[in-house]
Amino acid sequence: MLGLVKIRVHKGINLPLKDAFHSDPYVVVTMGDQKVKTSCKKNNCNPVWDDELTLALKNPNVQIVLTVYDKDTFSKDDKIGEAKIDIKPYLKALEMSYHQDLPNSVKVDKVQPNRDNCLAKESCIIWENGKLIQDMTLMLQNVECGEVKLQIEVIPKMLSEDAFYIA
C-alpha cells in the first residue's frame, strides 16, 4: 500500500430524474477492487452528501471511478452517470511540495479540463494546514446533465521522517 486517498463527496448538481418524479441519488467510488459509497438522499436532484470516503492507494495508475446511482425499492438501482478521477497530477504536486515550508492557501498546481479527465472547470491543488487538497467539479459522463463536487487528499505512506513513497 502506498497510502490512503480521502474523497470528500460534497454535493451533486442538476442530477437528472431517473424515476417519474424524483431521484434518490447516492455515489459509489471504486478504485481497482475497492468500493465505497455515500449515503442516499431521498427526492433530490441537488443532493448534499458531505460524506468522507477512504480508499487504499495501491497503484497510482489505477483510476478512481465515481458512479452516481438512483436508489430503487423494487428494482435494480438505475445508473445516473459516472466520472473518472486521474490522481497523477495530484501525486506529482505532492512530490514537488513535500517538506517545503509553504504558507497556507498556496496553489501548488492547476489541472485543466481535458479528454483524460472529467473536470467541469480548472481545478487547483492547494497546500492547506500542512496537506495538499484538490477541490474539483466533475461532469458526469453518459448522461444529459449533472455534476458532482468533491475534494481529494492523499495521505502517503511514510518510509521515514524525510521520505514518502508514491511510485
Side-chain angles (χ1 to χ4, degrees):
M1 185 175 83
L2 306 176
L4 298 174
V5 180
K6 281 188 181 179
I7 301 171
R8 292 173 192 89
V9 182
H10 179 53
K11 66 181 180 176
I13 302 166
N14 196 26
L15 300 179
L17 290 174
K18 281 299 185 182
D19 295 330
F21 303 106
H22 67 278
S23 285
D24 303 322
Y26 65 95
V27 176
V28 174
V29 179
T30 57
M31 184 177 187
D33 60 352
Q34 302 172 79
K35 184 172 164 178
V36 290
K37 69 179 184 174
T38 66
S39 57
C40 178
K41 299 299 178 183
K42 298 279 185 197
N43 302 325
N44 201 331
C45 290
N46 294 292
V48 176
W49 292 287
D50 280 332
D51 288 350
E52 186 172 290
L53 309 172
T54 303
L55 299 162
L57 178 60
K58 298 175 183 176
N59 180 347
N61 296 314
V62 174
Q63 282 190 320
I64 299 169
V65 180
L66 179 141
T67 308
V68 181
Y69 289 95
D70 171 43
K71 180 87 173 150
D72 287 329
T73 305
F74 300 110
S75 62
K76 183 178 175 188
D77 293 353
D78 299 315
K79 182 177 175 180
I80 293 176
E82 70 178 18
K84 293 179 172 65
I85 301 171
D86 180 10
I87 63 168
K88 287 182 201 159
Y90 180 97
L91 297 176
K92 181 180 166 198
L94 181 63
E95 274 189 276
M96 289 186 320
S97 63
Y98 198 73
H99 278 304
Q100 291 187 28
D101 191 20
L102 298 174
N104 277 343
S105 302
V106 168
K107 289 181 186 175
V108 176
D109 200 2
K110 291 186 222 176
V111 183
Q112 298 295 331
N114 62 42
R115 278 202 237 141
D116 297 328
N117 64 42
C118 295
L119 292 174
K121 59 185 176 183
E122 177 181 274
S123 173
C124 293
I125 301 171
I126 298 172
W127 184 261
E128 194 70 51
N129 297 321
K131 58 189 174 185
L132 280 180
I133 56 171
Q134 183 178 5
D135 291 312
M136 57 180 73
T137 301
L138 302 174
M139 289 189 314
L140 295 178
Q141 305 298 299
N142 306 314
V143 68
E144 65 274 8
C145 61
E147 297 178 344
V148 176
K149 287 186 169 263
L150 58 91
Q151 180 184 82
I152 64 169
E153 173 190 351
V154 174
I155 302 165
K157 180 178 180 180
M158 299 302 295
L159 295 177
S160 69
E161 282 186 26
D162 299 324
F164 63 94
Y165 179 76
I166 299 288

PDB file of all heavy atoms in Angstrom, residues 55-92:
ATOM      1  N   LEU A  55     -10.028   5.209   0.564  1.00  0.00           N
ATOM      2  CA  LEU A  55      -9.559   4.057  -0.196  1.00  0.00           C
ATOM      3  C   LEU A  55      -8.062   3.886   0.011  1.00  0.00           C
ATOM      4  O   LEU A  55      -7.347   4.871   0.241  1.00  0.00           O
ATOM      5  CB  LEU A  55      -9.823   4.260  -1.697  1.00  0.00           C
ATOM      6  CG  LEU A  55     -11.274   4.416  -2.129  1.00  0.00           C
ATOM      7  CD1 LEU A  55     -11.349   5.028  -3.521  1.00  0.00           C
ATOM      8  CD2 LEU A  55     -11.952   3.067  -2.122  1.00  0.00           C
ATOM      9  N   ALA A  56      -7.577   2.658  -0.093  1.00  0.00           N
ATOM     10  CA  ALA A  56      -6.140   2.398  -0.041  1.00  0.00           C
ATOM     11  C   ALA A  56      -5.550   2.663  -1.420  1.00  0.00           C
ATOM     12  O   ALA A  56      -6.085   2.192  -2.429  1.00  0.00           O
ATOM     13  CB  ALA A  56      -5.877   0.955   0.385  1.00  0.00           C
ATOM     14  N   LEU A  57      -4.475   3.437  -1.466  1.00  0.00           N
ATOM     15  CA  LEU A  57      -3.775   3.697  -2.721  1.00  0.00           C
ATOM     16  C   LEU A  57      -2.758   2.587  -2.922  1.00  0.00           C
ATOM     17  O   LEU A  57      -1.712   2.564  -2.269  1.00  0.00           O
ATOM     18  CB  LEU A  57      -3.104   5.070  -2.689  1.00  0.00           C
ATOM     19  CG  LEU A  57      -2.297   5.463  -3.921  1.00  0.00           C
ATOM     20  CD1 LEU A  57      -3.189   5.470  -5.163  1.00  0.00           C
ATOM     21  CD2 LEU A  57      -1.653   6.816  -3.727  1.00  0.00           C
ATOM     22  N   LYS A  58      -3.085   1.650  -3.795  1.00  0.00           N
ATOM     23  CA  LYS A  58      -2.209   0.507  -4.052  1.00  0.00           C
ATOM     24  C   LYS A  58      -1.419   0.685  -5.342  1.00  0.00           C
ATOM     25  O   LYS A  58      -0.300   0.230  -5.451  1.00  0.00           O
ATOM     26  CB  LYS A  58      -3.032  -0.780  -4.134  1.00  0.00           C
ATOM     27  CG  LYS A  58      -3.778  -1.113  -2.853  1.00  0.00           C
ATOM     28  CD  LYS A  58      -4.669  -2.323  -3.046  1.00  0.00           C
ATOM     29  CE  LYS A  58      -5.467  -2.624  -1.801  1.00  0.00           C
ATOM     30  NZ  LYS A  58      -6.404  -3.737  -2.000  1.00  0.00           N
ATOM     31  N   ASN A  59      -2.050   1.323  -6.320  1.00  0.00           N
ATOM     32  CA  ASN A  59      -1.416   1.523  -7.622  1.00  0.00           C
ATOM     33  C   ASN A  59      -1.830   2.898  -8.138  1.00  0.00           C
ATOM     34  O   ASN A  59      -3.009   3.116  -8.439  1.00  0.00           O
ATOM     35  CB  ASN A  59      -1.867   0.419  -8.584  1.00  0.00           C
ATOM     36  CG  ASN A  59      -1.251   0.554  -9.963  1.00  0.00           C
ATOM     37  OD1 ASN A  59      -0.676   1.572 -10.322  1.00  0.00           O
ATOM     38  ND2 ASN A  59      -1.398  -0.495 -10.750  1.00  0.00           N
ATOM     39  N   PRO A  60      -0.889   3.840  -8.279  1.00  0.00           N
ATOM     40  CA  PRO A  60      -1.250   5.192  -8.716  1.00  0.00           C
ATOM     41  C   PRO A  60      -1.733   5.260 -10.162  1.00  0.00           C
ATOM     42  O   PRO A  60      -2.265   6.268 -10.588  1.00  0.00           O
ATOM     43  CB  PRO A  60       0.038   5.991  -8.528  1.00  0.00           C
ATOM     44  CG  PRO A  60       1.126   4.981  -8.544  1.00  0.00           C
ATOM     45  CD  PRO A  60       0.548   3.707  -8.005  1.00  0.00           C
ATOM     46  N   ASN A  61      -1.580   4.176 -10.908  1.00  0.00           N
ATOM     47  CA  ASN A  61      -2.030   4.161 -12.301  1.00  0.00           C
ATOM     48  C   ASN A  61      -3.482   3.721 -12.450  1.00  0.00           C
ATOM     49  O   ASN A  61      -4.031   3.778 -13.545  1.00  0.00           O
ATOM     50  CB  ASN A  61      -1.125   3.250 -13.130  1.00  0.00           C
ATOM     51  CG  ASN A  61       0.291   3.794 -13.174  1.00  0.00           C
ATOM     52  OD1 ASN A  61       0.508   4.981 -13.399  1.00  0.00           O
ATOM     53  ND2 ASN A  61       1.253   2.939 -12.912  1.00  0.00           N
ATOM     54  N   VAL A  62      -4.100   3.265 -11.363  1.00  0.00           N
ATOM     55  CA  VAL A  62      -5.499   2.842 -11.405  1.00  0.00           C
ATOM     56  C   VAL A  62      -6.386   4.076 -11.177  1.00  0.00           C
ATOM     57  O   VAL A  62      -6.232   4.784 -10.189  1.00  0.00           O
ATOM     58  CB  VAL A  62      -5.787   1.759 -10.335  1.00  0.00           C
ATOM     59  CG1 VAL A  62      -7.270   1.434 -10.287  1.00  0.00           C
ATOM     60  CG2 VAL A  62      -4.969   0.510 -10.614  1.00  0.00           C
ATOM     61  N   GLN A  63      -7.298   4.320 -12.108  1.00  0.00           N
ATOM     62  CA  GLN A  63      -8.192   5.470 -11.990  1.00  0.00           C
ATOM     63  C   GLN A  63      -9.231   5.249 -10.901  1.00  0.00           C
ATOM     64  O   GLN A  63      -9.619   4.115 -10.609  1.00  0.00           O
ATOM     65  CB  GLN A  63      -8.915   5.724 -13.302  1.00  0.00           C
ATOM     66  CG  GLN A  63      -8.081   6.416 -14.334  1.00  0.00           C
ATOM     67  CD  GLN A  63      -8.927   6.847 -15.518  1.00  0.00           C
ATOM     68  OE1 GLN A  63      -9.802   6.125 -15.960  1.00  0.00           O
ATOM     69  NE2 GLN A  63      -8.647   8.027 -16.036  1.00  0.00           N
ATOM     70  N   ILE A  64      -9.669   6.341 -10.344  1.00  0.00           N
ATOM     71  CA  ILE A  64     -10.790   6.323  -9.412  1.00  0.00           C
ATOM     72  C   ILE A  64     -12.043   6.580 -10.241  1.00  0.00           C
ATOM     73  O   ILE A  64     -12.087   7.523 -11.035  1.00  0.00           O
ATOM     74  CB  ILE A  64     -10.621   7.404  -8.331  1.00  0.00           C
ATOM     75  CG1 ILE A  64      -9.347   7.152  -7.520  1.00  0.00           C
ATOM     76  CG2 ILE A  64     -11.846   7.459  -7.429  1.00  0.00           C
ATOM     77  CD1 ILE A  64      -8.970   8.300  -6.605  1.00  0.00           C
ATOM     78  N   VAL A  65     -13.055   5.735 -10.075  1.00  0.00           N
ATOM     79  CA  VAL A  65     -14.301   5.886 -10.826  1.00  0.00           C
ATOM     80  C   VAL A  65     -15.420   6.219  -9.847  1.00  0.00           C
ATOM     81  O   VAL A  65     -15.637   5.510  -8.870  1.00  0.00           O
ATOM     82  CB  VAL A  65     -14.652   4.607 -11.617  1.00  0.00           C
ATOM     83  CG1 VAL A  65     -15.962   4.794 -12.378  1.00  0.00           C
ATOM     84  CG2 VAL A  65     -13.525   4.240 -12.567  1.00  0.00           C
ATOM     85  N   LEU A  66     -16.087   7.309 -10.125  1.00  0.00           N
ATOM     86  CA  LEU A  66     -17.206   7.776  -9.313  1.00  0.00           C
ATOM     87  C   LEU A  66     -18.480   7.528 -10.131  1.00  0.00           C
ATOM     88  O   LEU A  66     -18.581   8.007 -11.254  1.00  0.00           O
ATOM     89  CB  LEU A  66     -17.000   9.264  -9.042  1.00  0.00           C
ATOM     90  CG  LEU A  66     -18.030  10.008  -8.238  1.00  0.00           C
ATOM     91  CD1 LEU A  66     -17.319  10.989  -7.330  1.00  0.00           C
ATOM     92  CD2 LEU A  66     -18.996  10.725  -9.127  1.00  0.00           C
ATOM     93  N   THR A  67     -19.416   6.759  -9.589  1.00  0.00           N
ATOM     94  CA  THR A  67     -20.664   6.460 -10.289  1.00  0.00           C
ATOM     95  C   THR A  67     -21.836   6.894  -9.418  1.00  0.00           C
ATOM     96  O   THR A  67     -21.888   6.556  -8.236  1.00  0.00           O
ATOM     97  CB  THR A  67     -20.779   4.946 -10.599  1.00  0.00           C
ATOM     98  OG1 THR A  67     -19.586   4.511 -11.254  1.00  0.00           O
ATOM     99  CG2 THR A  67     -21.970   4.675 -11.495  1.00  0.00           C
ATOM    100  N   VAL A  68     -22.747   7.650  -9.996  1.00  0.00           N
ATOM    101  CA  VAL A  68     -23.943   8.106  -9.288  1.00  0.00           C
ATOM    102  C   VAL A  68     -25.104   7.190  -9.685  1.00  0.00           C
ATOM    103  O   VAL A  68     -25.321   6.927 -10.872  1.00  0.00           O
ATOM    104  CB  VAL A  68     -24.284   9.572  -9.620  1.00  0.00           C
ATOM    105  CG1 VAL A  68     -25.517  10.026  -8.845  1.00  0.00           C
ATOM    106  CG2 VAL A  68     -23.099  10.484  -9.315  1.00  0.00           C
ATOM    107  N   TYR A  69     -25.813   6.695  -8.672  1.00  0.00           N
ATOM    108  CA  TYR A  69     -26.966   5.813  -8.882  1.00  0.00           C
ATOM    109  C   TYR A  69     -28.214   6.433  -8.273  1.00  0.00           C
ATOM    110  O   TYR A  69     -28.136   7.243  -7.351  1.00  0.00           O
ATOM    111  CB  TYR A  69     -26.742   4.460  -8.193  1.00  0.00           C
ATOM    112  CG  TYR A  69     -25.707   3.590  -8.854  1.00  0.00           C
ATOM    113  CD1 TYR A  69     -24.396   3.593  -8.401  1.00  0.00           C
ATOM    114  CD2 TYR A  69     -26.049   2.749  -9.912  1.00  0.00           C
ATOM    115  CE1 TYR A  69     -23.428   2.776  -8.998  1.00  0.00           C
ATOM    116  CE2 TYR A  69     -25.094   1.930 -10.510  1.00  0.00           C
ATOM    117  CZ  TYR A  69     -23.791   1.953 -10.051  1.00  0.00           C
ATOM    118  OH  TYR A  69     -22.846   1.156 -10.641  1.00  0.00           O
ATOM    119  N   ASP A  70     -29.350   5.989  -8.784  1.00  0.00           N
ATOM    120  CA  ASP A  70     -30.660   6.318  -8.219  1.00  0.00           C
ATOM    121  C   ASP A  70     -31.160   5.067  -7.506  1.00  0.00           C
ATOM    122  O   ASP A  70     -31.310   4.014  -8.129  1.00  0.00           O
ATOM    123  CB  ASP A  70     -31.631   6.728  -9.330  1.00  0.00           C
ATOM    124  CG  ASP A  70     -33.055   6.872  -8.825  1.00  0.00           C
ATOM    125  OD1 ASP A  70     -33.242   7.438  -7.733  1.00  0.00           O
ATOM    126  OD2 ASP A  70     -33.977   6.407  -9.525  1.00  0.00           O
ATOM    127  N   LYS A  71     -31.393   5.180  -6.214  1.00  0.00           N
ATOM    128  CA  LYS A  71     -31.872   4.054  -5.400  1.00  0.00           C
ATOM    129  C   LYS A  71     -33.315   3.728  -5.768  1.00  0.00           C
ATOM    130  O   LYS A  71     -34.171   4.605  -5.821  1.00  0.00           O
ATOM    131  CB  LYS A  71     -31.769   4.425  -3.919  1.00  0.00           C
ATOM    132  CG  LYS A  71     -32.226   3.358  -2.976  1.00  0.00           C
ATOM    133  CD  LYS A  71     -31.093   2.440  -2.691  1.00  0.00           C
ATOM    134  CE  LYS A  71     -31.486   1.463  -1.597  1.00  0.00           C
ATOM    135  NZ  LYS A  71     -30.792   0.205  -1.763  1.00  0.00           N
ATOM    136  N   ASP A  72     -33.558   2.459  -6.051  1.00  0.00           N
ATOM    137  CA  ASP A  72     -34.918   1.988  -6.327  1.00  0.00           C
ATOM    138  C   ASP A  72     -35.297   0.940  -5.297  1.00  0.00           C
ATOM    139  O   ASP A  72     -34.457   0.154  -4.870  1.00  0.00           O
ATOM    140  CB  ASP A  72     -35.017   1.407  -7.736  1.00  0.00           C
ATOM    141  CG  ASP A  72     -34.990   2.490  -8.806  1.00  0.00           C
ATOM    142  OD1 ASP A  72     -35.467   3.601  -8.542  1.00  0.00           O
ATOM    143  OD2 ASP A  72     -34.478   2.211  -9.903  1.00  0.00           O
ATOM    144  N   THR A  73     -36.545   0.901  -4.929  1.00  0.00           N
ATOM    145  CA  THR A  73     -37.016  -0.022  -3.907  1.00  0.00           C
ATOM    146  C   THR A  73     -37.315  -1.405  -4.470  1.00  0.00           C
ATOM    147  O   THR A  73     -36.915  -2.408  -3.901  1.00  0.00           O
ATOM    148  CB  THR A  73     -38.283   0.537  -3.231  1.00  0.00           C
ATOM    149  OG1 THR A  73     -37.993   1.839  -2.729  1.00  0.00           O
ATOM    150  CG2 THR A  73     -38.715  -0.352  -2.067  1.00  0.00           C
ATOM    151  N   PHE A  74     -37.992  -1.472  -5.604  1.00  0.00           N
ATOM    152  CA  PHE A  74     -38.460  -2.759  -6.110  1.00  0.00           C
ATOM    153  C   PHE A  74     -37.726  -3.246  -7.357  1.00  0.00           C
ATOM    154  O   PHE A  74     -38.086  -4.258  -7.929  1.00  0.00           O
ATOM    155  CB  PHE A  74     -39.962  -2.680  -6.399  1.00  0.00           C
ATOM    156  CG  PHE A  74     -40.755  -2.343  -5.171  1.00  0.00           C
ATOM    157  CD1 PHE A  74     -41.377  -1.116  -5.046  1.00  0.00           C
ATOM    158  CD2 PHE A  74     -40.861  -3.256  -4.126  1.00  0.00           C
ATOM    159  CE1 PHE A  74     -42.099  -0.800  -3.906  1.00  0.00           C
ATOM    160  CE2 PHE A  74     -41.584  -2.950  -2.982  1.00  0.00           C
ATOM    161  CZ  PHE A  74     -42.209  -1.721  -2.871  1.00  0.00           C
ATOM    162  N   SER A  75     -36.698  -2.522  -7.775  1.00  0.00           N
ATOM    163  CA  SER A  75     -35.930  -2.946  -8.948  1.00  0.00           C
ATOM    164  C   SER A  75     -34.463  -2.582  -8.744  1.00  0.00           C
ATOM    165  O   SER A  75     -34.096  -1.939  -7.760  1.00  0.00           O
ATOM    166  CB  SER A  75     -36.480  -2.284 -10.214  1.00  0.00           C
ATOM    167  OG  SER A  75     -36.353  -0.879 -10.129  1.00  0.00           O
ATOM    168  N   LYS A  76     -33.654  -2.983  -9.716  1.00  0.00           N
ATOM    169  CA  LYS A  76     -32.222  -2.676  -9.658  1.00  0.00           C
ATOM    170  C   LYS A  76     -32.028  -1.162  -9.697  1.00  0.00           C
ATOM    171  O   LYS A  76     -32.733  -0.455 -10.426  1.00  0.00           O
ATOM    172  CB  LYS A  76     -31.535  -3.340 -10.854  1.00  0.00           C
ATOM    173  CG  LYS A  76     -30.051  -3.180 -10.884  1.00  0.00           C
ATOM    174  CD  LYS A  76     -29.450  -3.906 -12.081  1.00  0.00           C
ATOM    175  CE  LYS A  76     -27.963  -3.620 -12.142  1.00  0.00           C
ATOM    176  NZ  LYS A  76     -27.370  -4.136 -13.367  1.00  0.00           N
ATOM    177  N   ASP A  77     -31.081  -0.652  -8.914  1.00  0.00           N
ATOM    178  CA  ASP A  77     -30.798   0.783  -8.899  1.00  0.00           C
ATOM    179  C   ASP A  77     -30.368   1.243 -10.295  1.00  0.00           C
ATOM    180  O   ASP A  77     -29.629   0.540 -10.994  1.00  0.00           O
ATOM    181  CB  ASP A  77     -29.706   1.104  -7.880  1.00  0.00           C
ATOM    182  CG  ASP A  77     -30.160   0.853  -6.453  1.00  0.00           C
ATOM    183  OD1 ASP A  77     -31.351   0.565  -6.237  1.00  0.00           O
ATOM    184  OD2 ASP A  77     -29.311   0.950  -5.543  1.00  0.00           O
ATOM    185  N   ASP A  78     -30.834   2.434 -10.689  1.00  0.00           N
ATOM    186  CA  ASP A  78     -30.512   2.989 -12.002  1.00  0.00           C
ATOM    187  C   ASP A  78     -29.200   3.754 -11.944  1.00  0.00           C
ATOM    188  O   ASP A  78     -28.969   4.550 -11.020  1.00  0.00           O
ATOM    189  CB  ASP A  78     -31.605   3.970 -12.461  1.00  0.00           C
ATOM    190  CG  ASP A  78     -32.962   3.311 -12.589  1.00  0.00           C
ATOM    191  OD1 ASP A  78     -33.018   2.203 -13.158  1.00  0.00           O
ATOM    192  OD2 ASP A  78     -33.955   3.907 -12.117  1.00  0.00           O
ATOM    193  N   LYS A  79     -28.367   3.556 -12.946  1.00  0.00           N
ATOM    194  CA  LYS A  79     -27.129   4.324 -13.058  1.00  0.00           C
ATOM    195  C   LYS A  79     -27.468   5.687 -13.650  1.00  0.00           C
ATOM    196  O   LYS A  79     -28.093   5.778 -14.704  1.00  0.00           O
ATOM    197  CB  LYS A  79     -26.136   3.581 -13.955  1.00  0.00           C
ATOM    198  CG  LYS A  79     -24.815   4.271 -14.101  1.00  0.00           C
ATOM    199  CD  LYS A  79     -23.890   3.387 -14.946  1.00  0.00           C
ATOM    200  CE  LYS A  79     -22.585   4.059 -15.235  1.00  0.00           C
ATOM    201  NZ  LYS A  79     -21.711   3.189 -16.044  1.00  0.00           N
ATOM    202  N   ILE A  80     -27.070   6.755 -12.954  1.00  0.00           N
ATOM    203  CA  ILE A  80     -27.312   8.108 -13.440  1.00  0.00           C
ATOM    204  C   ILE A  80     -26.174   8.548 -14.348  1.00  0.00           C
ATOM    205  O   ILE A  80     -26.392   9.068 -15.432  1.00  0.00           O
ATOM    206  CB  ILE A  80     -27.501   9.093 -12.263  1.00  0.00           C
ATOM    207  CG1 ILE A  80     -28.798   8.762 -11.507  1.00  0.00           C
ATOM    208  CG2 ILE A  80     -27.503  10.535 -12.753  1.00  0.00           C
ATOM    209  CD1 ILE A  80     -29.042   9.601 -10.275  1.00  0.00           C
ATOM    210  N   GLY A  81     -24.940   8.353 -13.928  1.00  0.00           N
ATOM    211  CA  GLY A  81     -23.777   8.754 -14.713  1.00  0.00           C
ATOM    212  C   GLY A  81     -22.508   8.428 -13.950  1.00  0.00           C
ATOM    213  O   GLY A  81     -22.552   7.998 -12.792  1.00  0.00           O
ATOM    214  N   GLU A  82     -21.367   8.643 -14.599  1.00  0.00           N
ATOM    215  CA  GLU A  82     -20.097   8.355 -13.943  1.00  0.00           C
ATOM    216  C   GLU A  82     -19.047   9.366 -14.363  1.00  0.00           C
ATOM    217  O   GLU A  82     -19.211  10.083 -15.354  1.00  0.00           O
ATOM    218  CB  GLU A  82     -19.625   6.933 -14.251  1.00  0.00           C
ATOM    219  CG  GLU A  82     -19.186   6.709 -15.674  1.00  0.00           C
ATOM    220  CD  GLU A  82     -18.690   5.293 -15.926  1.00  0.00           C
ATOM    221  OE1 GLU A  82     -18.984   4.396 -15.121  1.00  0.00           O
ATOM    222  OE2 GLU A  82     -18.014   5.100 -16.944  1.00  0.00           O
ATOM    223  N   ALA A  83     -17.968   9.407 -13.588  1.00  0.00           N
ATOM    224  CA  ALA A  83     -16.831  10.274 -13.890  1.00  0.00           C
ATOM    225  C   ALA A  83     -15.568   9.580 -13.389  1.00  0.00           C
ATOM    226  O   ALA A  83     -15.611   8.844 -12.404  1.00  0.00           O
ATOM    227  CB  ALA A  83     -17.001  11.632 -13.219  1.00  0.00           C
ATOM    228  N   LYS A  84     -14.470   9.839 -14.079  1.00  0.00           N
ATOM    229  CA  LYS A  84     -13.191   9.256 -13.687  1.00  0.00           C
ATOM    230  C   LYS A  84     -12.288  10.346 -13.131  1.00  0.00           C
ATOM    231  O   LYS A  84     -12.286  11.477 -13.611  1.00  0.00           O
ATOM    232  CB  LYS A  84     -12.541   8.562 -14.879  1.00  0.00           C
ATOM    233  CG  LYS A  84     -13.315   7.333 -15.323  1.00  0.00           C
ATOM    234  CD  LYS A  84     -12.659   6.683 -16.520  1.00  0.00           C
ATOM    235  CE  LYS A  84     -13.294   5.367 -16.862  1.00  0.00           C
ATOM    236  NZ  LYS A  84     -14.636   5.394 -17.298  1.00  0.00           N
ATOM    237  N   ILE A  85     -11.527   9.970 -12.105  1.00  0.00           N
ATOM    238  CA  ILE A  85     -10.585  10.899 -11.470  1.00  0.00           C
ATOM    239  C   ILE A  85      -9.175  10.378 -11.718  1.00  0.00           C
ATOM    240  O   ILE A  85      -8.852   9.249 -11.352  1.00  0.00           O
ATOM    241  CB  ILE A  85     -10.828  10.996  -9.952  1.00  0.00           C
ATOM    242  CG1 ILE A  85     -12.247  11.468  -9.658  1.00  0.00           C
ATOM    243  CG2 ILE A  85      -9.801  11.934  -9.309  1.00  0.00           C
ATOM    244  CD1 ILE A  85     -12.632  11.371  -8.187  1.00  0.00           C
ATOM    245  N   ASP A  86      -8.357  11.214 -12.335  1.00  0.00           N
ATOM    246  CA  ASP A  86      -6.950  10.888 -12.536  1.00  0.00           C
ATOM    247  C   ASP A  86      -6.166  11.579 -11.422  1.00  0.00           C
ATOM    248  O   ASP A  86      -6.116  12.809 -11.367  1.00  0.00           O
ATOM    249  CB  ASP A  86      -6.490  11.386 -13.908  1.00  0.00           C
ATOM    250  CG  ASP A  86      -5.029  11.078 -14.195  1.00  0.00           C
ATOM    251  OD1 ASP A  86      -4.411  10.312 -13.428  1.00  0.00           O
ATOM    252  OD2 ASP A  86      -4.511  11.604 -15.192  1.00  0.00           O
ATOM    253  N   ILE A  87      -5.563  10.799 -10.521  1.00  0.00           N
ATOM    254  CA  ILE A  87      -4.857  11.417  -9.391  1.00  0.00           C
ATOM    255  C   ILE A  87      -3.372  11.644  -9.673  1.00  0.00           C
ATOM    256  O   ILE A  87      -2.653  12.145  -8.820  1.00  0.00           O
ATOM    257  CB  ILE A  87      -5.035  10.627  -8.079  1.00  0.00           C
ATOM    258  CG1 ILE A  87      -4.447   9.233  -8.172  1.00  0.00           C
ATOM    259  CG2 ILE A  87      -6.477  10.608  -7.652  1.00  0.00           C
ATOM    260  CD1 ILE A  87      -4.341   8.545  -6.825  1.00  0.00           C
ATOM    261  N   LYS A  88      -2.899  11.322 -10.867  1.00  0.00           N
ATOM    262  CA  LYS A  88      -1.476  11.525 -11.176  1.00  0.00           C
ATOM    263  C   LYS A  88      -1.025  12.975 -11.021  1.00  0.00           C
ATOM    264  O   LYS A  88       0.032  13.222 -10.455  1.00  0.00           O
ATOM    265  CB  LYS A  88      -1.155  10.994 -12.568  1.00  0.00           C
ATOM    266  CG  LYS A  88      -1.135   9.492 -12.634  1.00  0.00           C
ATOM    267  CD  LYS A  88      -0.768   9.033 -14.030  1.00  0.00           C
ATOM    268  CE  LYS A  88      -1.237   7.617 -14.230  1.00  0.00           C
ATOM    269  NZ  LYS A  88      -1.365   7.284 -15.626  1.00  0.00           N
ATOM    270  N   PRO A  89      -1.803  13.982 -11.502  1.00  0.00           N
ATOM    271  CA  PRO A  89      -1.370  15.375 -11.281  1.00  0.00           C
ATOM    272  C   PRO A  89      -1.249  15.712  -9.793  1.00  0.00           C
ATOM    273  O   PRO A  89      -0.333  16.420  -9.378  1.00  0.00           O
ATOM    274  CB  PRO A  89      -2.469  16.209 -11.943  1.00  0.00           C
ATOM    275  CG  PRO A  89      -3.092  15.296 -12.934  1.00  0.00           C
ATOM    276  CD  PRO A  89      -3.005  13.924 -12.332  1.00  0.00           C
ATOM    277  N   TYR A  90      -2.161  15.181  -8.997  1.00  0.00           N
ATOM    278  CA  TYR A  90      -2.112  15.410  -7.549  1.00  0.00           C
ATOM    279  C   TYR A  90      -0.847  14.792  -6.956  1.00  0.00           C
ATOM    280  O   TYR A  90      -0.159  15.408  -6.153  1.00  0.00           O
ATOM    281  CB  TYR A  90      -3.367  14.810  -6.899  1.00  0.00           C
ATOM    282  CG  TYR A  90      -3.403  15.006  -5.398  1.00  0.00           C
ATOM    283  CD1 TYR A  90      -4.113  16.052  -4.847  1.00  0.00           C
ATOM    284  CD2 TYR A  90      -2.713  14.156  -4.547  1.00  0.00           C
ATOM    285  CE1 TYR A  90      -4.141  16.233  -3.479  1.00  0.00           C
ATOM    286  CE2 TYR A  90      -2.734  14.341  -3.180  1.00  0.00           C
ATOM    287  CZ  TYR A  90      -3.446  15.378  -2.650  1.00  0.00           C
ATOM    288  OH  TYR A  90      -3.460  15.571  -1.300  1.00  0.00           O
ATOM    289  N   LEU A  91      -0.528  13.564  -7.342  1.00  0.00           N
ATOM    290  CA  LEU A  91       0.650  12.881  -6.805  1.00  0.00           C
ATOM    291  C   LEU A  91       1.935  13.585  -7.220  1.00  0.00           C
ATOM    292  O   LEU A  91       2.882  13.673  -6.435  1.00  0.00           O
ATOM    293  CB  LEU A  91       0.664  11.414  -7.252  1.00  0.00           C
ATOM    294  CG  LEU A  91      -0.514  10.562  -6.759  1.00  0.00           C
ATOM    295  CD1 LEU A  91      -0.443   9.168  -7.346  1.00  0.00           C
ATOM    296  CD2 LEU A  91      -0.567  10.519  -5.245  1.00  0.00           C
ATOM    297  N   LYS A  92       1.953  14.120  -8.441  1.00  0.00           N
ATOM    298  CA  LYS A  92       3.116  14.896  -8.905  1.00  0.00           C
ATOM    299  C   LYS A  92       3.290  16.151  -8.040  1.00  0.00           C
ATOM    300  O   LYS A  92       4.391  16.486  -7.614  1.00  0.00           O
ATOM    301  CB  LYS A  92       2.923  15.263 -10.372  1.00  0.00           C
ATOM    302  CG  LYS A  92       4.061  16.051 -10.965  1.00  0.00           C
ATOM    303  CD  LYS A  92       3.777  16.377 -12.425  1.00  0.00           C
ATOM    304  CE  LYS A  92       4.736  17.427 -12.910  1.00  0.00           C
ATOM    305  NZ  LYS A  92       4.279  18.077 -14.120  1.00  0.00           N
TER     306      LYS A  92
END
